[in-house]
Amino acid sequence: MVLSRRTVLKLGVLGSCGWGVLAGTATAGASPPVERSMLDAMRELHAAPGGPPAVTVAIRRNGGTAFHSVGVSDVATGRAPRPNDHMRVASVAKAFSGATALALVSRGRLGLDDTIGRRLNGFPPQWSGVTLRQLLGHTSGIPDFSRSPRFAAAVRAALQDPPPPRELLGYLDDPDLGFPPGTRYSYSNSDNILAALMCEAATGSRYEDLLRHLVVEPLHLTGTSLPRGSALPEPYLHGYDGTEDVSTLIAAGWSWASGGVVSTPADLARFIAGYRDLLHPDVRAAQTRFRPGSSEPPGPGANAAGLALFRYDTRYGTVYGHTGNTPGYTQFAAATPDGRRAVAVSATAQLTPDTSAPLFEKLRGVYELAVGAALAR
């Protein structure tokens, strides 16, 4: 496989118009103005120079999911996107690992104040007092392994052959804490790897099995999984770097619980809507105590950080969710606090404020309008 220089450089970052309707959401009459504005914004993003080959929006309300798309899921065939197309959800996977950990807390198998030192062996002693609460809230102070030059070099050298999850943390050149735990917010992929390892230690089960039993099956997510390799189930939304298809470029095991989940637009909207139902009310209350902090990349409106979830205060209302980006994909999923309305937005290109700021701002505009469309009816 020949990789473009642009794709190789980005490996260190671990950050046609149509619509269809799934059962339960068909509504007679014209779309509300905000929904029409959303579709216009999707078309504008898709048509912009360097715009993603596809932009999709799944809106969940009243138990059903409406699906909107522009562009094509596969440039080679011209096939239109579908709500059950598989895709990489990137850092939205952190919402899944958070749901798994908090479901265990709700069952009394883990505690938010359980420490790394109590649950895990073999990690730097300076991490021993870091709690699960601090990991899920990105206030641990533990550096981000994915920013290490050694990690980037290892990925480039073995795209399809990731190490065991625990070894991802071994790429840190300096394990010293960046600040005293609990005193600051700093987004780190290391946090969710450690949270998932704590889930395994508390139960004796693989994280992948816990994710399936505690999240995927209860919410009836038929297209969601956590693979180790790079293959995607058919059909899937192809992800691109320019004209290069990078959908299966990197094995999911290189990001595991922090970014490896595969899902579908319909499943992603169902998951974020049902998230609260997985948790005891007291645990949900702890999760939704927010502090200053932005998801990476930023979501719409003003961002604030909770436990494995962010609050987005938009001009249309407040939603809770997560964003993500990885080679080939940029994602956003959010729901109203009561879970009755939800939205999942996907673009089949990696768009970030650093590398593609104008396109990313257009995408943030789609996020906000999608929230408005979800809340409009």
Side-chain angles (χ1 to χ4, degrees), residues 1-370:
M1 178 184 297
V2 179
L3 306 182
S4 69
R5 180 176 180 274
R6 180 165 169 255
T7 295
V8 170
L9 288 175
K10 289 200 301 188
L11 288 179
V13 182
L14 291 177
S16 78
C17 174
W19 66 276
V21 181
L22 299 183
T25 59
T27 303
S31 298
V34 67
E35 194 167 282
R36 294 196 296 271
S37 296
M38 178 193 75
L39 291 168
D40 287 343
M42 292 167 66
R43 295 185 189 99
E44 182 180 344
L45 172 62
H46 168 64
V55 183
T56 72
V57 176
I59 296 174
R60 186 168 180 81
R61 57 171 93 85
N62 302 323
T65 306
F67 182 71
H68 305 263
S69 72
V70 298
V72 297
S73 66
D74 183 351
V75 169
T77 66
R79 183 177 69 79
R82 303 168 186 165
N84 293 319
D85 280 352
H86 296 85
M87 60 189 183
R88 303 195 185 284
V89 306
S91 281
V92 181
K94 294 177 174 67
F96 284 87
S97 55
T100 305
L102 293 174
L104 288 173
V105 173
S106 296
R107 288 160 171 76
R109 303 292 299 277
L110 265 176
L112 285 174
D113 295 318
D114 284 359
T115 62
I116 291 174
R118 176 187 173 192
R119 291 292 185 178
L120 299 172
N121 297 315
F123 288 108
Q126 53 268 52
W127 298 3
S128 62
V130 172
T131 66
L132 178 64
R133 187 193 309 270
Q134 291 161 348
L135 292 172
L136 295 179
H138 294 300
T139 63
S140 71
I142 296 173
D144 187 342
F145 74 90
S146 72
R147 298 185 184 277
S148 162
R150 288 197 303 115
F151 173 77
V155 175
R156 286 192 293 267
L159 293 168
Q160 303 294 325
D161 187 21
R166 188 183 181 96
E167 293 181 16
L168 293 171
L169 297 159
Y171 288 106
L172 284 170
D173 297 308
D174 182 357
D176 284 345
L177 297 176
F179 49 85
T183 63
R184 284 176 44 195
Y185 171 88
S186 182
Y187 188 92
S188 174
N189 285 285
S190 301
D191 291 337
N192 291 79
I193 301 297
L194 285 159
L197 291 173
M198 287 178 74
C199 292
E200 292 189 333
T203 63
S205 298
R206 296 170 62 247
Y207 169 66
E208 290 85 347
D209 296 331
L210 294 168
L211 174 66
R212 184 174 66 255
H213 294 319
L214 296 172
V215 179
V216 171
E217 292 173 351
L219 294 181
H220 309 290
L221 307 180
T222 58
T224 300
S225 63
L226 178 55
R228 287 280 292 154
S230 66
L232 286 167
E234 295 281 357
Y236 62 87
L237 282 170
H238 291 243
Y240 293 88
D241 178 7
T243 60
E244 185 177 355
D245 188 335
V246 294
S247 312
T248 59
L249 176 65
I250 305 172
W254 280 109
S255 54
W256 195 52
S258 70
V261 169
V262 170
S263 191
T264 70
D267 265 14
L268 203 53
R270 181 186 290 270
F271 161 70
I272 208 68
Y275 199 143
R276 61 174 290 124
D277 298 333
L278 301 172
L279 311 181
H280 186 279
D282 290 345
V283 175
R284 178 68 172 185
Q287 179 186 40
T288 54
R289 293 188 188 112
F290 294 97
R291 64 183 294 156
S294 174
S295 58
E296 291 192 12
N303 293 197
L307 302 185
L309 205 65
F310 293 85
R311 186 183 69 209
Y312 304 108
D313 294 317
T314 78
R315 57 181 164 169
Y316 299 105
T318 295
V319 290
Y320 299 165
H322 215 293
T323 62
N325 72 95
T326 195
Y329 302 91
T330 308
Q331 304 283 8
F332 167 66
T336 52
D338 63 8
R340 294 182 180 178
R341 307 290 181 94
V343 64
V345 181
S346 303
T348 56
Q350 184 177 25
L351 306 179
T352 75
D354 296 331
T355 62
S356 46
L359 288 173
F360 179 72
E361 286 308 310
K362 289 181 185 294
L363 179 58
R364 280 189 84 198
V366 174
Y367 292 166
E368 182 131 354
L369 288 164

